[in-house]
Amino acid sequence: MHELSITQNILEIALRHAEQAGAREIKGIDILIGRYSSFVDDSIQFYWDIIAKGTIAENAVLHFQRVPVEFTCQDCGAVYEPQEDDFACPRCLSPRVRVTRGEELRVESIEVET
């Protein structure tokens, strides 16, 4: 259900920027979603189809791109993509790591027609 509020925010961002650009129509939106985020592309698309009706974004195509996960070791500073079953740092084997990429959700770009 949290996808509804996220989708509303995406629409608000798109409409605001389209208005600033003097756009007649929003053609597409590129959305980056981190692999470790809890957002589901299909749910965002479902809500988009409902809430964008009657706006200049009604026919916009949502392009979803999944961002891979990246960890940074807090002991040695190594930056790496973790294995599915082993999150420890591959350089020093420390378990003290933090997610530095892969949890985000953001609008990367908006394609408009002026």
Side-chain angles (χ1 to χ4, degrees):
M1 189 64 149
H2 62 284
E3 275 91 351
L4 174 57
S5 62
I6 290 301
T7 307
Q8 289 170 324
N9 287 336
I10 292 169
L11 179 60
E12 177 186 318
I13 290 166
L15 291 174
R16 184 176 64 239
H17 286 280
E19 181 181 335
Q20 290 171 355
R24 292 188 343 237
E25 182 180 12
I26 298 173
K27 305 293 273 178
I29 302 173
D30 293 319
I31 302 168
L32 298 182
I33 302 177
R35 197 176 109 210
Y36 273 12
S37 78
S38 61
F39 301 108
V40 179
D41 306 7
D42 289 341
S43 294
I44 293 172
Q45 184 68 61
F46 172 79
Y47 288 121
W48 181 267
D49 293 342
I50 296 168
I51 67 171
K53 280 194 187 321
T55 71
I56 64 170
E58 183 172 4
N59 296 315
V61 176
L62 303 183
H63 304 278
F64 298 100
Q65 179 183 350
R66 284 285 169 179
V67 177
V69 176
E70 178 182 277
F71 281 11
T72 300
C73 178
Q74 294 183 21
D75 289 331
C76 75
V79 177
Y80 62 97
E81 192 170 327
Q83 301 301 314
E84 287 298 320
D85 59 346
D86 185 12
F87 297 146
C89 175
R91 185 187 303 162
C92 72
L93 303 179
S94 172
R96 293 178 11 91
V97 299
R98 63 184 166 88
V99 178
T100 50
R101 192 174 82 183
E103 296 180 312
E104 61 270 35
L105 169 74
R106 74 173 180 264
V107 174
E108 185 68 10
S109 64
I110 303 167
E111 179 187 353
V112 297
E113 187 173 298
T114 54

